[in-house]
Amino acid sequence: MTPEAIRALVGAGRIDRRVYTDPAIFALEIERIFARAWIYVGHDSQVPRPGDFFTTSVAARPVVMIRDDDGAIRVLRNRCGHRGAMVVTQRSGSARLLRCPYHGWTFRRDGALDAVPLADGYDGSGFDRCNPAYGMPKLARVANYRGFVFASLAADGPDLETFLGPARGSLDNMVERAPDGALEIAGGCFRAVQRNNWKIYLENLHDGVHAPVVHQASIEASRSAAARPDARPSFALDVVAANGAGYRTMGQLQVNCYPHGHSDMRGFRRTDADDPQFAAYVASLSARLGRERAAEVLADNRHNAMVYPSFSVHPAFQQLRVIIPQCVERTVIEVWCLRMKGAPPLLHRRTIAFANAVHSPASIVKVDDLEAYERVQNGLAHDAPAWVSAERGAAGDPAVAASALDERFIRNQYAAWNDYMAGAA
Ligand code: FES
Ligand SMILES: [Fe+2]
C-alpha cells in the first residue's frame, strides 16, 4: 500500500472499516506499529533473580524476558538458532541454561549458544558456535521504566522516556502510591481471547458514553443489591455502580491526549476507604513522602492511562492490561495485578476485588464489553457502511483537555496510527 492509500483510510474522525477487518492491513500494523514502537514486555519483579524468565510476545514474535548473570534484564527472541523451534515453552520459571526441546541446543542467559549435541558432526560445515546467528537474538532495545520493562524491535527511534512522554505520569503515580516506593506482580493474570480487532479495545478505554448503556444490567444489579435492607458496604458494588454515572459526570472527567497515541483519563471512582487499614496506609505513605506529597499522590486520581499500542494501566487500583493482537479479528488481553510493597492487606484486597469486578473475563462488567466489541467486529465484516465515526467532540478546543464524552483520544490514536503506517514515525 502506498502512503497515500494508507492515509486515505483515516479521515477527520472517520475510519475505513477495512482498518478493522483486512488481514493485509493487520500484517502491516504488526510490522510498522508493533515492530517499531516500544512494547510492554513485563514487570521486573517477575524476574527477581539471575535465570528467572517470563515468556510473552512482541510484534507477534515470541520472546523471553530473562535476568542475566550480571543482573541486567534481557529480552530474547524465543527462537532456536538450529531449526527455529520455540526454545522456552513455560510461561515463567528459572533456568541455568535455556535448552531447546527439539534437539537439545542450549543457550546462555544472554542468548548466546552454549553447546550443541554431536558438535564434531559440524566439522567442515562453516558452523561456528560463537556466531550470534546461532544464538537467541536480543531485541534491538530494552528499557526499564520504574519496573515496567519495554522492548523495541527497532534499533532507532525515540528512547523509552521520550516515547512515553507525559504518559509517564501514570506509571510514576502508580509507583509513588506504594509506601515502600516499589511494586511487584502478584500472582498470574486474567487472559481473555477477544473476538475483536485490537483497536476496538483501545477505542473503548476512555469512552464514558458506552458505560451507562453497555453496563446497564450490572449497574442495575449493583444498585438493587446495595438497596437491600441487609446490604453491607461493598467496594466491589461501588466499583460496578460507578459505571452508572450520568453524562454530566462523565462530561467532567478530563481526558488528556499525548504524542504517539497515548492518553489518560482522570478518575471517577472513589479511591479512599473508611477503614483503619487505609488510614495506616496513608500514614506510612506520609512517613516516606511527607504529608503534603502523600496527599498530592493520592489526590492524583487517574482512572486509566493508555500507552499506545500495547499497554494500559489503572494507577489507583494497581492493574495492568497488556494488548497482544493475534490476527485481524482476535486479540489477547492480559490483566495483571500489582502489589504495593509496604501497604496493608486491605489495599491489595481492593486490587483483587477491582480485577474480579471489572476485568475478569467472567465479571458482570467485562462480559458486556466483550459482547459489544464482537458486535462491532461482526458489523464491520461486510461492505457497508464503509466508515466508522469517531467525530464526537470535534469542535472542542484542542488546547483544552477533552472529556470522557469526546472521541478525541480515538482521533489521537489514529494520528499516531497514520504516522507509523504511512512512514513518518
Ligand atoms: S530446533 Fe532447537 S535444537 Fe533443533
Ligand atoms: Fe465498559
Side-chain angles (χ1 to χ4, degrees):
M1 286 181 102
T2 63
E4 292 68 37
I6 291 168
R7 281 199 199 94
L9 294 168
V10 179
R14 298 200 316 161
I15 304 118
D16 190 299
R17 65 162 197 93
R18 289 171 295 175
V19 166
Y20 304 91
T21 59
D22 184 339
I25 294 175
F26 176 82
L28 215 52
E29 289 177 334
I30 293 297
E31 296 316 309
R32 295 196 177 166
I33 303 177
F34 284 84
R36 284 186 189 170
W38 284 99
I39 300 298
Y40 176 75
V41 179
H43 193 262
D44 66 4
S45 64
Q46 290 172 287
V47 290
R49 289 169 298 273
D52 291 350
F53 64 79
F54 169 73
T55 59
T56 181
S57 66
V58 169
R61 283 86 162 164
V63 301
V64 192
M65 172 173 84
I66 184 166
R67 181 81 66 170
D68 202 350
D69 300 322
D70 61 359
I73 292 178
R74 314 274 177 217
V75 181
L76 311 173
R77 293 281 296 276
N78 191 0
R79 178 192 183 282
C80 179
H82 179 215
R83 302 279 287 278
M86 188 190 276
V87 175
V88 186
T89 49
Q90 290 160 271
R91 190 75 214 264
S92 60
S94 191
R96 196 174 63 79
L97 293 166
L98 303 175
R99 179 172 179 268
C100 178
Y102 198 1
H103 310 94
W105 284 27
T106 51
F107 302 88
R108 296 179 196 152
R109 292 161 175 173
D110 64 358
L113 179 59
D114 187 68
V116 304
L118 305 168
D120 51 5
Y122 288 95
D123 288 351
S125 70
F127 168 81
D128 172 7
R129 191 176 60 82
C130 299
N131 182 340
Y134 293 105
M136 294 169 70
K138 292 189 185 81
L139 268 64
R141 292 183 297 162
V142 178
N144 181 344
Y145 185 75
R146 304 194 73 168
F148 302 98
V149 178
F150 290 76
S152 173
L153 287 166
D156 52 6
D159 62 29
L160 177 61
E161 290 204 14
T162 308
F163 169 82
L164 292 171
R168 285 202 314 255
S170 291
L171 305 184
D172 292 336
N173 182 255
M174 222 165 166
V175 177
E176 282 164 12
R177 282 172 176 270
D180 292 355
L183 304 171
E184 60 183 353
I185 288 281
C189 66
F190 284 130
R191 193 163 194 274
V193 183
Q194 302 186 179
R195 289 186 284 235
N196 59 265
N197 183 270
W198 62 279
K199 299 185 295 300
I200 293 171
Y201 184 74
L202 301 195
E203 291 164 21
N204 180 257
L205 285 180
H206 312 315
D207 181 338
V209 177
H210 88 289
V213 182
V214 166
H215 301 302
Q216 188 179 347
S218 56
I219 293 162
E220 284 172 6
S222 62
R223 283 180 182 161
S224 65
R228 280 166 46 164
D230 58 344
R232 284 185 300 178
S234 157
F235 171 75
L237 275 185
D238 293 348
V239 161
V240 174
N243 276 328
Y247 291 143
R248 235 178 68 144
T249 307
M250 294 292 188
Q252 287 161 355
L253 300 179
Q254 194 178 310
V255 173
N256 299 295
C257 296
Y258 306 123
H260 303 294
H262 313 325
S263 51
D264 61 37
M265 173 173 153
R266 304 296 144 157
F268 66 104
R269 289 186 170 96
R270 190 184 158 194
T271 58
D272 60 351
D274 303 319
D275 189 293
Q277 284 195 43
F278 196 85
Y281 161 64
V282 175
S284 56
L285 195 62
S286 304
R288 184 172 65 84
L289 298 176
R291 274 200 16 208
E292 215 169 292
R293 179 68 194 140
E296 268 172 30
V297 166
L298 294 174
D300 189 359
N301 177 9
R302 295 156 188 258
H303 172 62
N304 63 8
M306 174 73 222
V307 177
Y308 188 84
S310 71
F311 190 43
S312 170
V313 297
H314 283 260
F317 298 112
Q318 304 291 341
Q319 325 267 310
L320 309 180
R321 290 190 275 181
V322 187
I323 294 98
I324 307 171
Q326 304 268 294
C327 66
V328 71
E329 56 193 11
R330 197 168 66 236
T331 307
V332 166
I333 304 293
E334 290 185 352
V335 180
W336 296 84
C337 291
L338 291 161
R339 183 187 286 111
M340 295 188 283
K341 292 194 178 174
L346 169 79
L347 277 293
H348 193 57
R349 278 207 302 277
R350 289 181 354 144
T351 294
I352 300 297
F354 188 93
N356 284 333
V358 177
H359 285 152
S360 160
S363 101
I364 58 172
V365 174
K366 175 80 167 248
V367 287
D368 288 329
D369 286 315
L370 293 175
E371 172 75 17
Y373 305 151
E374 191 173 340
R375 287 186 188 204
V376 172
Q377 189 71 41
N378 292 343
L380 299 176
H382 302 291
D383 51 353
W387 294 90
V388 166
S389 162
E391 295 153 299
R392 201 172 57 235
D397 179 353
V400 177
S403 86
L405 301 183
D406 295 333
E407 291 169 329
R408 191 193 297 171
F409 76 97
I410 300 176
R411 299 190 291 277
N412 187 55
Q413 290 174 5
Y414 278 98
W417 188 92
N418 251 332
D419 282 349
Y420 283 114
M421 294 289 282

